[in-house]
Amino acid sequence: MNPETEFRDGLDDLASHYKSIIELLGEDPGREGLLKTPMRVAKAMQVLTRGYTQDAHKVLLDALFAEKYSQMVIVKDIDFFSLCEHHMIPFYGKVHVAYIPNGYITGLSKIARVVDIYSHRLQVQERLTLQIKDCIQETLKPLGVMVVVEAKHMCMQMRGVEKQNAITTTSDFSGAFNQAKTRQEFMNLLRSEGKSL
């Protein structure tokens, strides 16, 4: 789906519901500044939830290559934005992924695409972390996978406790990462600044 030109079924119904929401909030959807808002929001919501129409497993399989490399592969600092399923308010941050190949590797950009697909759904951070790990484990069948997600939640920043600087960190791992030494190696590599390219 090209989010700029293609939209899913139900777009008009979605816009109609947003028009009703605007009225229920006490605004006039007929006001000049709000005339096109229901359709704009409907289109935005379809873009922000496009992950429901995409298959993360297929993305990895489309770029699967036989390779004897068997050391840790890390893709870190993958930016993401998602919508909290409890309030439909954004949460955002970075995902760090490591896997140890077992005869097969995938294109590095495909790891970021997996993050993109699962984050473009109504989510909670814990499930997002698990889904990314499970997809890579089930599809590539590596010796192990570890995923760390660091995020700020606007539902905590804008409402409720209103804590703007709180960061939530979640992690999940499998296989070789069940060993504390392997997990620690990954965490050390995440913290290392490295040299600029």
Side-chain angles (χ1 to χ4, degrees):
M1 174 176 140
N2 179 342
E4 300 303 320
T5 58
E6 298 173 24
F7 295 97
R8 307 192 300 272
D9 291 341
L11 187 65
D12 290 333
D13 287 341
L14 199 54
S16 175
H17 287 296
Y18 277 114
K19 181 177 179 182
S20 296
I21 288 169
I22 290 170
E23 288 176 319
L24 288 168
L25 292 174
E27 259 290 2
D28 173 14
R31 184 164 62 77
E32 182 182 6
L34 293 173
L35 275 174
K36 295 182 180 179
T37 297
M39 183 55 73
R40 286 189 188 111
V41 177
K43 288 179 177 179
M45 289 303 292
Q46 283 206 354
V47 170
L48 294 172
T49 59
R50 67 179 181 252
Y52 288 119
T53 64
Q54 299 171 325
D55 184 344
H57 295 270
K58 185 177 185 305
V59 165
L60 292 178
L61 288 172
D62 284 348
L64 193 63
F65 309 103
E67 190 61 55
K68 291 181 180 179
Y69 186 81
S70 60
Q71 300 301 312
M72 200 180 298
V73 176
I74 299 174
V75 184
K76 67 179 187 175
D77 295 331
I78 303 168
D79 292 318
F80 81 93
F81 299 87
S82 193
L83 289 175
C84 165
E85 69 179 35
H86 299 146
H87 304 98
M88 292 178 68
I89 295 175
F91 68 99
Y92 60 95
K94 293 186 183 296
V95 176
H96 316 289
V97 177
Y99 75 98
I100 300 173
N102 187 19
Y104 291 92
I105 60 170
T106 190
L108 297 176
S109 68
K110 305 308 178 188
I111 301 293
R113 288 269 292 121
V114 167
V115 172
D116 187 65
I117 289 169
Y118 287 117
S119 64
H120 280 80
R121 300 178 182 186
L122 300 181
Q123 276 290 11
V124 293
Q125 183 174 334
E126 296 87 344
R127 184 191 314 122
L128 175 63
T129 307
L130 179 66
Q131 287 177 329
I132 295 166
K133 186 268 294 179
D134 283 349
C135 178
I136 295 167
Q137 183 64 52
E138 293 165 8
T139 310
L140 299 183
K141 299 186 177 11
L143 298 175
V145 179
M146 185 164 177
V147 176
V148 175
V149 179
E150 301 172 301
K152 289 189 173 186
H153 293 250
M154 295 191 78
C155 57
M156 282 183 66
Q157 294 175 312
M158 297 173 64
R159 55 163 299 284
V161 295
E162 296 185 16
K163 300 300 179 193
Q164 282 73 36
N165 296 310
I167 296 174
T168 301
T169 302
T170 51
S171 67
D172 198 6
F173 49 86
S174 64
F177 289 95
N178 283 303
Q179 298 175 18
K181 181 180 177 183
T182 310
R183 289 197 305 275
Q184 191 58 53
E185 180 185 350
F186 175 43
M187 297 308 291
N188 289 343
L189 289 167
L190 283 187
R191 291 187 195 104
S192 66
E193 292 297 322
K195 295 180 180 178
S196 300
L197 297 179

